[in-house]
Amino acid sequence: MTQQENIVKVLLVDDDELDRRLVKLVLVQSQGSVRFNIDTAASLSEALGKMQSGTYDIILEDMNLSDCRGTEIVEKVSAAVPNVPIVVLTGFDDDDAGLEAIRAGAEDYLVKGSGLEYTLVKTIRYAIERKKSKASLIEAKNELEQTNAQLMQTTIKANILAQEAEKANVAKSQFLANISHEIRTPMNAIIGFGEVLAEEPLGDVQKSYVKLILDSAKRLLLLINDILDFSRIEAGRMKVEKTECDVQELIANIESLMRPEATAKNLEFNVVCEQNVPPLIKTDSLKLRQCLINLVSNAIKFTEQGKIDIAVESFADNEKSFIEFRVTDTGIGIPADKHDAIFEVFTQADGSMTRKYGGTGLGLAVTRQLAKLLGGSIKFTSEEGKGSTFILSIPADVVHTCRKASSHDVIKEYNGKFSGEILVVEDSPANQLFLRRTLEKLGFTVSVTADGLQAIEAVQTEKFDLILMDMQLPNMKGFEVTKKLHSMGFKIPIIAMTASLMHEDEQQCRQAGSDDFIAKPIDCGLLIKVLCKYITQAEVVHTA
Ligand code: ADP
């Protein structure tokens, strides 16, 4: 139908001349908004021919033509012009025939004769509207089916991509585990021997060289750790392990680690831990320590004069307790327009600072992610030229037990001197030497074996108080040796040493029966702390 003119193009198919005239008359004389443009055909073949050359809004057709009869006419016409509505006009009022015509594809069924003038126009208009609605319904259905099919395709693709990404992630984590092991092992030797060398009687020039080597190696190690951490967080593989954490001890540890750096820059270094801070909380102390070290390192790094204040206090928010660690400096501050960016990866407030202060721009990104993993958050205030305050808050899940002795107390108690015999199972000659030197300095008698089989032999002939077991041994892996020793009934504490920091390795060591776990490069303070734990236990076992 031409909307503007409201003209309906009709093809009237009837072999009876009189009937054609009657219908034409009804349409022409109809009083309404619609006008009809009527074309006629006396047979089906003529009608089909006209349909090929012209377009119609409606087909009115008889059920009895000279070349075709009954519903077949409807079927053939609707096959030829599927989008054009068909109204059947017949001389007989036969309900069954009408239904059959509708089933064959007609929109309506009308009986010629009296009353046609009242029904025909309305029927035509309704038939056209119905056909249109049906067509748009079919179109919508088709579109829906198409969209569904596309959605299915997209879902399949997304699943494949997700699987590939997961595979890549696993491969990346594995790669990182391997590479971290490969890099951290020689770093262990570099830092270990650097420290040994620094204690030798050296000239000033040599001392400064050794210091340079040590500083660079430590910086490199920090960078490796940051990259490793960030990748692990990204891959969702950073696991949080909440255990008892002695807050005072943690702060003391950070103070003893960072104060020398601040003092070297002539900065005042104040630590205040408020009375209300619970002595023991449940958190992942290694990750908390890492966050604090990152914040304090930045404070020292970006401060040329003045002071660094570390304040620890506890507060409640909506009945939840938090511990807040505030690290305040009087350093260069952060320009207001960079406040939003500094937690982004590889972002530094001022690119030119990189050369002056060093750094990767990873520290705060990692710190924020770690804070999140701990259930906490991090925020800061800063004024350019005046200084910054970074505030880390974490949930204070209080542990209600007596305070443990801190490593400081224990070291004091031993006064730096131990006794007892330690077996070091380590294949790298550099690490063997480093551990022998360190342990002997602490007062231990040290035996060293380069592989697991020798270790098993040694344990059968000598009595050891503790075993330090490298996990990456040739032939028989450290955890296999540990298992074997357990199966042979030896109850000596075994401390696993590994350069790989992946969670799976730690689990594997623990499953094999390792009592504890120490990461390489070995931190002497941590080593002493672990030794204190087990040497005391070993003595108790011996005297029992
Ligand atoms: P970087 O390895 O560069 O220190 P971070 O992610 O730890 O990386 O910090 C990102 C940037 O935030 C730093 O480069 C520096 O511009 C800014 N920043 C962080 N802490 C401080 C601070 N205490 N004082 C001034 N600027 C800081």
Short mmCIF file of all heavy atoms in Angstrom, two decimals, residues 116 183 186 225 293-294 299 322 380 423 435 464 512 526:
data_model
loop_
_atom_site.label_atom_id
_atom_site.label_comp_id
_atom_site.label_asym_id
_atom_site.label_seq_id
_atom_site.Cartn_x
_atom_site.Cartn_y
_atom_site.Cartn_z
N LEU A 116 -21.11 -7.95 0.90
CA LEU A 116 -19.69 -7.83 0.57
C LEU A 116 -19.20 -6.39 0.71
O LEU A 116 -18.06 -6.14 1.12
CB LEU A 116 -19.47 -8.32 -0.88
CG LEU A 116 -18.01 -8.64 -1.24
CD1 LEU A 116 -17.48 -9.79 -0.39
CD2 LEU A 116 -17.90 -9.02 -2.73
N ILE A 183 67.63 -17.12 37.95
CA ILE A 183 68.28 -15.84 38.25
C ILE A 183 68.64 -15.75 39.74
O ILE A 183 69.69 -15.26 40.10
CB ILE A 183 67.36 -14.66 37.86
CG1 ILE A 183 67.09 -14.69 36.36
CG2 ILE A 183 68.00 -13.33 38.22
CD1 ILE A 183 66.11 -13.65 35.87
N PRO A 186 72.20 -17.74 41.01
CA PRO A 186 73.47 -17.00 40.96
C PRO A 186 73.44 -15.73 41.82
O PRO A 186 74.46 -15.34 42.38
CB PRO A 186 73.65 -16.65 39.49
CG PRO A 186 72.38 -16.95 38.82
CD PRO A 186 71.63 -17.91 39.65
N ASN A 225 62.14 -9.66 42.10
CA ASN A 225 61.03 -10.02 42.99
C ASN A 225 59.76 -9.27 42.62
O ASN A 225 58.67 -9.84 42.62
CB ASN A 225 61.40 -9.72 44.44
CG ASN A 225 62.39 -10.73 44.96
OD1 ASN A 225 62.55 -11.80 44.37
ND2 ASN A 225 63.07 -10.41 46.03
N ILE A 293 57.91 -2.46 53.55
CA ILE A 293 59.26 -2.18 53.03
C ILE A 293 59.17 -1.30 51.78
O ILE A 293 59.92 -0.35 51.62
CB ILE A 293 60.03 -3.49 52.77
CG1 ILE A 293 60.40 -4.11 54.11
CG2 ILE A 293 61.28 -3.24 51.94
CD1 ILE A 293 61.08 -5.44 54.03
N ASN A 294 58.20 -1.60 50.91
CA ASN A 294 58.04 -0.78 49.69
C ASN A 294 57.76 0.67 50.06
O ASN A 294 58.35 1.59 49.49
CB ASN A 294 56.88 -1.30 48.84
CG ASN A 294 57.29 -2.50 48.02
OD1 ASN A 294 58.47 -2.84 47.97
ND2 ASN A 294 56.33 -3.15 47.39
N ALA A 299 59.79 6.23 50.79
CA ALA A 299 59.90 7.42 51.64
C ALA A 299 61.37 7.83 51.74
O ALA A 299 61.71 9.01 51.57
CB ALA A 299 59.32 7.15 53.02
N PHE A 322 40.97 -2.31 62.50
CA PHE A 322 42.02 -2.20 61.49
C PHE A 322 43.32 -1.77 62.16
O PHE A 322 43.29 -1.12 63.19
CB PHE A 322 41.65 -1.13 60.46
CG PHE A 322 40.64 -1.60 59.48
CD1 PHE A 322 39.28 -1.54 59.77
CD2 PHE A 322 41.03 -2.12 58.26
CE1 PHE A 322 38.34 -2.00 58.86
CE2 PHE A 322 40.10 -2.57 57.34
CZ PHE A 322 38.75 -2.52 57.65
N PHE A 380 46.97 7.82 50.20
CA PHE A 380 48.06 8.73 50.53
C PHE A 380 47.63 10.18 50.41
O PHE A 380 46.64 10.50 49.76
CB PHE A 380 49.28 8.45 49.64
CG PHE A 380 49.11 8.95 48.23
CD1 PHE A 380 49.65 10.16 47.83
CD2 PHE A 380 48.39 8.23 47.30
CE1 PHE A 380 49.48 10.63 46.54
CE2 PHE A 380 48.21 8.68 46.02
CZ PHE A 380 48.76 9.89 45.63
N LEU A 423 73.77 -30.28 58.90
CA LEU A 423 74.14 -30.85 57.62
C LEU A 423 73.57 -29.96 56.51
O LEU A 423 72.36 -29.70 56.47
CB LEU A 423 73.56 -32.27 57.49
CG LEU A 423 73.74 -32.92 56.12
CD1 LEU A 423 75.22 -33.15 55.79
CD2 LEU A 423 72.99 -34.26 56.04
N LEU A 435 77.20 -20.94 53.00
CA LEU A 435 76.46 -21.44 54.15
C LEU A 435 77.42 -21.93 55.24
O LEU A 435 77.21 -21.70 56.43
CB LEU A 435 75.51 -22.57 53.73
CG LEU A 435 74.24 -22.04 53.04
CD1 LEU A 435 73.51 -23.17 52.33
CD2 LEU A 435 73.32 -21.38 54.06
N PHE A 464 72.95 -35.30 63.51
CA PHE A 464 72.81 -33.86 63.20
C PHE A 464 71.63 -33.28 63.96
O PHE A 464 70.65 -33.97 64.27
CB PHE A 464 72.57 -33.67 61.69
CG PHE A 464 73.76 -34.09 60.87
CD1 PHE A 464 73.78 -35.31 60.20
CD2 PHE A 464 74.88 -33.26 60.77
CE1 PHE A 464 74.86 -35.70 59.46
CE2 PHE A 464 75.97 -33.64 60.02
CZ PHE A 464 75.98 -34.87 59.36
N ALA A 512 56.33 -33.07 51.51
CA ALA A 512 57.39 -34.08 51.61
C ALA A 512 57.87 -34.22 53.05
O ALA A 512 58.57 -35.18 53.38
CB ALA A 512 58.56 -33.67 50.72
N LEU A 526 66.63 -14.02 58.71
CA LEU A 526 65.57 -15.04 58.63
C LEU A 526 66.14 -16.43 58.94
O LEU A 526 65.51 -17.24 59.61
CB LEU A 526 64.96 -15.05 57.23
CG LEU A 526 63.94 -13.96 56.94
CD1 LEU A 526 63.42 -14.11 55.52
CD2 LEU A 526 62.77 -14.07 57.93
#
